[in-house]
Amino acid sequence: MASPLSDLDELVLKCRDQKAKDYIREAVACYKAGAFRSAIVSTWIAVSFDIIDKLKELSLAGDKGAEKQIEDFEKARRIGDIANSLKFERDVLAVCRDRLELISSVEFIDLERLQEDRNRCAHPSMTTDGEVFNPSAELARTHIRSAVDHLLQYPPAQGKYALDSLTSEVESEYFPTDIKKAIVAFESSPLKKARDSLIRNFTVVLLKKLINEAKDYKEISRVSTALNAIGSIHRERYSNTLKEKLSSIVRGLEAEKLDRVIPLITRVEDSWSYFEADVRQKFESYVENLPKEKLDYIDIFLSIGDLQKAAERRLKKATRAELDEPLFFIIPKQVSDRIIELYSESRNFDQANGFASTVTRYAGDYDTEQIRKIIKACGENDQIEYSFEIGTVINALRKNKNVTDDEVDKWLLDAGLMKFAKVKDEEPEGDGK
C-alpha cells in the first residue's frame, strides 16, 4: 500500500521552474539532515523568492497590481529601506490572496503559519521555559508540502488576471475551432497547471457566454471548442463544474430563450448528461413544441436518447410547410417517414404537386421499404396518381442506390401504375386470362 505521505523528492520535481526547485531542494536537504529549523527558514525563503519572481512575470505581462508591488519592493531595496522591506515581507501573502489571487483564503492560512514559524525559527525567541523553539519533523515536512502544493508548482497567473487572459484568448478571432489545436493553445497558458478555482471559474464563464451571449457561428464555435478542450485537459474538475453549475445557469433562462441551450447540447460533448431532472423535463417540453424555425435541429434531438420521444411527438405535428424548409445533410428516418406519411395523405392535386419537391429532395436517402410505400401510395391515392409531379417523384426514386429498376417496376405494376414502368406489362399466354 502506498504511503499517504508525499515524497519530498517528488515535491521538488513538482516545482514550476528551476529557481523554485533550487530553493525548495535546499529545504529538503536540511530536513533530511535533521535541521528542521533551517528547513522551515529555507522553505519560507523559497516562497518569498517565488512570489517575487511571479510578481515580476505578471508585471512584464501587464498586470498593474503586480507592477506596483515590484516598484515598491525595488525602491525599498535600492535605498536600503529596512522598514518598508520588512513591511513588504509581512504583507506579501495578503497581497497574493487579495489583490493578485495567487492563493486562496485556505492556502493563505497554511502559508501564514509557515511565515510565523519561520520567524520563531530565525529569531532568538525562547519559550517560557527558556528553551529555543524546536520544530518537529512533521511540522517542517508540512510546511515544505504546503509551499509546493499551494504556490511553487503553479504559474504566476491563477486569479482574476489569469481568468481575464484566458477569456480574452477565446474571444480572439484567432482562437482555433479545432479541439486538438485548442488543447495546444491551452497547454501554453495558465490553464495547463491550474488551480481548481481557475478551472471552475473559466468553465462557468464560457458556459454563460455560450448560453447567454454568443451570437454568430464563429463565436459559438470558439467557445464550444474551448469547453471541449478544458474537458479533455482537466476532465474530472471540468465534469464536477458542469454537474454543480450547468443546471442553475439554464434555469435562469426565460422560456422563450431556451433555444440558447441548443448550441450547448449540439456542440459541447456529453453536456445533456449533466442536466438535472427538472431542467431535462423543461427542455423536453421545449423540444415537443419546437418552433418551426428551429426544426432543422430535430435530428440532434432524435439522436439523444432522453429527447427522442419528445422529438418524435414534435414530428407527428410537423406540417408540410414546416418540413419543406429544413435541409438535412443526413435525414433521420423518423423525418423521412413523416414526409412520406404527409405525401401519402395528399387530399388534392395542389398538395400532391406542392409537396413533391420535398419528397424528391431526399429521394436518394430512402430505404427500400420507404420507396415501396411511396409507390404504393401513388397508386392508392388518385390525387397523387394524376398529379403533374408524380413522374418526377418516380424518376427520382429510381436513382436511389438501395433499389433496382426491376424492383421499382414490380412495385409500379402492383400499384397499377404500368405507364411509369420501364418494362410494360405483357399479355399472358394461354387462355388470355
Side-chain angles (χ1 to χ4, degrees):
M1 181 176 177
S3 171
L5 294 174
S6 295
D7 183 270
L8 292 178
D9 292 325
E10 289 183 3
L11 285 175
V12 173
L13 294 176
K14 287 174 67 177
C15 292
R16 171 178 167 262
D17 61 19
Q18 191 58 46
K19 283 186 179 180
K21 288 179 183 178
D22 292 341
Y23 296 145
I24 208 67
R25 186 179 286 114
E26 181 178 338
V28 170
C30 292
Y31 172 87
K32 290 181 177 180
F36 304 130
R37 282 196 300 271
S38 297
I40 291 174
V41 172
S42 295
T43 301
W44 174 250
I45 292 173
V47 167
S48 298
F49 276 98
D50 187 69
I51 289 174
I52 291 171
D53 285 344
K54 283 181 167 63
L55 289 173
K56 289 179 179 178
E57 287 188 53
L58 290 172
S59 175
L60 290 173
D63 188 309
K64 297 300 181 183
E67 186 176 338
K68 177 66 167 59
Q69 293 299 317
I70 285 297
E71 285 179 359
D72 292 344
F73 172 76
E74 292 293 347
K75 180 180 179 181
R77 184 185 61 81
R78 189 171 56 253
I79 64 176
D81 189 340
I82 303 300
N84 276 323
S85 295
L86 291 174
K87 182 178 183 302
F88 175 87
E89 184 178 4
R90 284 195 305 269
D91 298 342
V92 71
L93 290 177
V95 169
C96 289
R97 178 194 60 187
D98 301 331
R99 300 183 190 176
L100 304 175
E101 298 180 31
L102 291 177
I103 56 175
S104 67
S105 296
V106 174
E107 292 165 345
F108 170 82
I109 293 171
D110 289 342
L111 293 176
E112 188 179 40
R113 287 173 182 160
L114 165 63
Q115 187 180 32
E116 292 172 355
D117 286 344
R118 174 265 180 191
N119 292 337
R120 291 201 291 171
C121 289
H123 299 299
S125 58
M126 297 183 182
T127 64
T128 54
D129 297 328
E131 295 178 356
V132 176
F133 172 63
N134 285 306
S136 65
E138 290 82 0
L139 181 61
R141 188 185 192 102
T142 297
H143 285 320
I144 293 172
R145 177 172 180 175
S146 295
V148 175
D149 286 351
H150 297 341
L151 190 68
L152 303 183
Q153 68 170 318
Y154 293 114
Q158 287 295 324
K160 186 177 184 300
Y161 180 81
L163 181 60
D164 291 344
S165 173
L166 288 167
T167 303
S168 297
E169 184 173 359
V170 174
E171 289 175 346
S172 168
E173 291 190 5
Y174 301 106
F175 186 79
T177 56
D178 177 85
I179 186 168
K180 291 183 179 179
K181 293 181 179 179
I183 290 173
V184 171
F186 283 149
E187 287 289 341
S188 301
S189 76
L191 193 67
K192 180 181 180 180
K193 204 170 187 179
R195 300 177 187 273
D196 289 355
S197 58
L198 178 58
I199 297 169
R200 180 177 61 254
N201 292 338
F202 186 39
T203 301
V204 170
V205 166
L206 292 182
L207 286 172
K208 289 181 177 180
K209 185 176 290 292
L210 182 61
I211 293 173
N212 298 320
E213 302 173 21
K215 295 179 177 61
D216 59 68
Y217 175 82
K218 289 184 178 179
E219 185 176 10
I220 290 172
S221 296
R222 290 196 303 270
V223 176
S224 58
T225 301
L227 283 166
N228 287 325
I230 298 172
S232 178
I233 299 170
H234 300 290
R235 189 66 197 176
E236 183 178 355
R237 286 174 280 184
Y238 169 81
S239 296
N240 289 338
T241 301
L242 263 61
K243 288 176 185 176
E244 295 171 7
K245 301 294 184 180
L246 182 55
S247 292
S248 60
I249 294 173
V250 175
R251 285 192 192 100
L253 285 174
E254 298 174 3
E256 60 271 18
K257 293 183 178 180
L258 274 176
D259 62 310
R260 300 291 304 177
V261 181
I262 294 177
L264 175 75
I265 293 176
T266 56
R267 291 174 174 271
V268 179
E269 183 180 353
D270 297 330
S271 56
W272 174 258
S273 65
Y274 295 104
F275 286 132
E276 294 179 13
D278 64 305
V279 177
R280 291 189 180 198
Q281 181 175 293
K282 185 177 182 180
F283 200 75
E284 285 172 16
S285 178
Y286 170 79
V287 171
E288 188 171 347
N289 298 280
L290 196 66
K292 172 185 175 181
E293 61 272 15
K294 302 295 180 181
L295 202 60
D296 50 350
Y297 288 106
I298 199 77
D299 57 334
I300 299 295
F301 303 140
L302 287 168
S303 68
I304 299 174
D306 292 340
L307 291 175
Q308 184 175 342
K309 290 184 178 179
E312 288 175 346
R313 288 193 292 270
R314 175 61 180 92
L315 272 177
K316 285 292 183 182
K317 300 182 288 185
T319 64
R320 294 167 183 265
E322 288 176 331
L323 291 176
D324 188 47
E325 292 186 12
L327 292 174
F328 298 96
F329 183 72
I330 299 177
I331 188 169
K333 187 175 185 303
Q334 297 96 321
V335 177
S336 55
D337 281 342
R338 179 57 176 162
I339 290 173
I340 293 168
E341 180 183 11
L342 288 170
Y343 186 60
S344 301
E345 294 172 353
S346 297
R347 297 179 180 178
N348 52 57
F349 295 139
D350 286 342
Q351 285 188 345
N353 287 321
F355 204 55
S357 61
T358 304
V359 176
T360 57
R361 184 182 305 152
Y362 304 107
D365 298 311
Y366 302 135
D367 60 30
T368 302
E369 181 58 23
Q370 288 177 318
I371 295 173
R372 189 191 67 79
K373 284 183 179 180
I374 296 173
I375 293 174
K376 182 179 179 183
C378 289
E380 292 178 347
N381 187 333
D382 59 357
Q383 301 302 309
I384 300 176
E385 181 180 355
Y386 296 107
S387 65
F388 293 126
E389 298 296 332
I390 183 174
T392 303
V393 171
I394 292 172
N395 287 334
L397 295 177
R398 284 188 182 278
K399 297 177 182 179
N400 188 299
K401 295 181 179 180
N402 294 321
V403 295
T404 64
D405 281 336
D406 289 342
E407 288 176 311
V408 172
D409 283 343
K410 180 182 180 303
W411 294 329
L412 287 170
L413 295 175
D414 291 343
L417 300 172
M418 291 76 72
K419 59 185 176 180
F420 296 105
K422 287 188 176 181
V423 179
K424 304 300 181 183
D425 194 15
E426 298 179 357
E427 289 294 330
E429 298 179 359
D431 58 6
K433 293 182 180 180

